[in-house]
Amino acid sequence: MAVRPGNDSPPAASTLQQQAPDADVEAESVRLTALLLPTVEGHGLFLEAVEIKSAGSDRIVNVVVDLPENQTGSVNLDLISDVAHDVSLAMDADPHDHGRPYSLEVSSPGVSRPLSQPRHWRRNKGRMVTVRRLKGDDVTGRLLEVDDDGIRLTPKIPVKKGMKPKTGDPLTLLFTEIRKGTVQVEFTHLDDTHLDDTGDEGIQHDARPTKNTASEA
């Protein structure tokens, strides 16, 4: 009888047990995304993600919503609250819910979110960003333009402390050259237009739907 080499041995039972819950969570996230998409879009928002985490015998469902990519600013608190209410109703009416208790959180992405998709870059047009390139030094500058292929920015040239900031010539970077990007928090634009960096991004709304809550009213 042939002997299977050690590197090709089947996964241990404990590994398979760990992979199964992960697959279940991913499948449930995909299902809830399809379920909640019409509700979120009905408020004129983009459904960024539905994230599920276990909390003992309960689960935490985090629904991340954002403004469309052609809008600037952040999702305000009142709109977050309205969306949370309607998302809660949609989950209460879910015919395929398995009955496991959950806590619902609805939030919008904060400035700490990595810029990993073209729509993320478009949403932050006009902001100061740092670009981590696959090759070469990082670049920090004002994001000017975004298209399907990449971005264009005006680099900020490092100067000694106390000196007036300098900017370089506009630079174009392809998405294929970019590892990731991040938004730099600032309180005043170069043209003295105040940016909404301390607004409602990242605000969370906690809700406990009556159908799935142990402490029903």
Coordinates of all heavy atoms in Angstrom, one line a residue, residues 15-31 52:
T15 N -8.4 21.5 12.5 CA -8.3 22.6 11.5 C -9.6 22.6 10.7 O -10.1 23.7 10.4 CB -7.1 22.2 10.5 OG1 -5.9 22.2 11.3 CG2 -7.0 23.3 9.4
L16 N -10.1 21.4 10.4 CA -11.4 21.4 9.7 C -12.5 22.0 10.5 O -13.4 22.7 10.0 CB -11.8 19.9 9.3 CG -10.8 19.3 8.3 CD1 -11.2 17.8 8.2 CD2 -10.9 20.0 7.0
Q17 N -12.5 21.8 11.8 CA -13.5 22.4 12.7 C -13.4 23.9 12.7 O -14.4 24.6 12.8 CB -13.4 21.8 14.1 CG -13.8 20.3 14.2 CD -13.5 19.8 15.6 OE1 -12.9 20.4 16.4 NE2 -13.9 18.5 15.8
Q18 N -12.2 24.4 12.6 CA -12.0 25.9 12.6 C -12.4 26.5 11.3 O -13.0 27.6 11.2 CB -10.5 26.2 12.9 CG -10.2 27.7 12.9 CD -8.8 28.0 13.3 OE1 -8.0 27.1 13.4 NE2 -8.5 29.2 13.4
Q19 N -12.2 25.7 10.2 CA -12.5 26.3 8.8 C -14.0 26.3 8.6 O -14.5 27.2 8.0 CB -11.8 25.4 7.8 CG -10.3 25.5 7.7 CD -9.7 24.6 6.7 OE1 -10.3 23.6 6.3 NE2 -8.4 24.8 6.4
A20 N -14.7 25.3 9.2 CA -16.2 25.3 9.0 C -16.9 26.5 9.5 O -17.7 27.1 8.8 CB -16.7 24.0 9.6
P21 N -16.7 26.9 10.8 CA -17.3 28.2 11.2 C -17.0 29.4 10.4 O -17.8 30.2 10.2 CB -16.8 28.3 12.7 CG -16.4 26.9 13.1 CD -15.9 26.3 11.8
D22 N -15.7 29.5 10.0 CA -15.3 30.6 9.1 C -16.1 30.6 7.8 O -16.5 31.7 7.4 CB -13.8 30.5 8.8 CG -12.9 30.8 10.1 OD1 -13.5 31.3 11.1 OD2 -11.7 30.4 10.1
A23 N -16.3 29.5 7.2 CA -17.0 29.4 6.0 C -18.5 29.7 6.2 O -19.1 30.4 5.4 CB -16.9 28.0 5.4
D24 N -19.0 29.3 7.4 CA -20.4 29.7 7.7 C -20.6 31.2 7.9 O -21.6 31.7 7.4 CB -20.8 28.9 9.0 CG -21.0 27.4 8.8 OD1 -21.0 27.0 7.7 OD2 -21.0 26.7 9.8
V25 N -19.6 31.8 8.6 CA -19.7 33.3 8.8 C -19.6 34.0 7.4 O -20.4 35.0 7.2 CB -18.6 33.7 9.7 CG1 -18.4 35.2 9.7 CG2 -18.8 33.2 11.1
E26 N -18.7 33.6 6.6 CA -18.6 34.2 5.3 C -19.9 34.0 4.4 O -20.4 35.0 3.8 CB -17.4 33.6 4.5 CG -17.2 34.2 3.2 CD -16.0 33.7 2.5 OE1 -15.2 32.9 3.1 OE2 -15.7 34.1 1.3
A27 N -20.5 32.8 4.5 CA -21.7 32.6 3.7 C -22.9 33.5 4.3 O -23.7 34.0 3.5 CB -22.1 31.1 3.8
E28 N -22.9 33.6 5.6 CA -24.0 34.4 6.2 C -23.8 35.9 5.9 O -24.7 36.6 5.7 CB -24.0 34.2 7.7 CG -25.0 35.0 8.5 CD -26.4 34.5 8.3 OE1 -26.6 33.6 7.4 OE2 -27.4 35.1 8.9
S29 N -22.5 36.3 5.8 CA -22.2 37.7 5.5 C -22.7 38.0 4.1 O -23.3 39.1 3.8 CB -20.7 38.0 5.6 OG -20.4 39.3 5.2
V30 N -22.4 37.1 3.2 CA -22.9 37.3 1.8 C -24.4 37.3 1.7 O -25.0 38.1 1.0 CB -22.3 36.1 0.9 CG1 -22.9 36.2 -0.5 CG2 -20.8 36.2 0.8
R31 N -25.1 36.4 2.4 CA -26.5 36.3 2.4 C -27.1 37.6 3.0 O -28.1 38.2 2.4 CB -27.0 35.1 3.2 CG -28.5 34.8 3.1 CD -28.9 33.8 4.0 NE -28.9 34.2 5.4 CZ -29.9 34.9 5.9 NH1 -31.0 35.3 5.2 NH2 -29.9 35.3 7.2
I52 N -19.6 40.0 10.5 CA -20.2 39.2 11.5 C -19.1 38.7 12.4 O -18.1 38.1 12.0 CB -21.0 38.0 11.0 CG1 -22.1 38.5 10.0 CG2 -21.7 37.2 12.1 CD1 -22.9 37.4 9.4

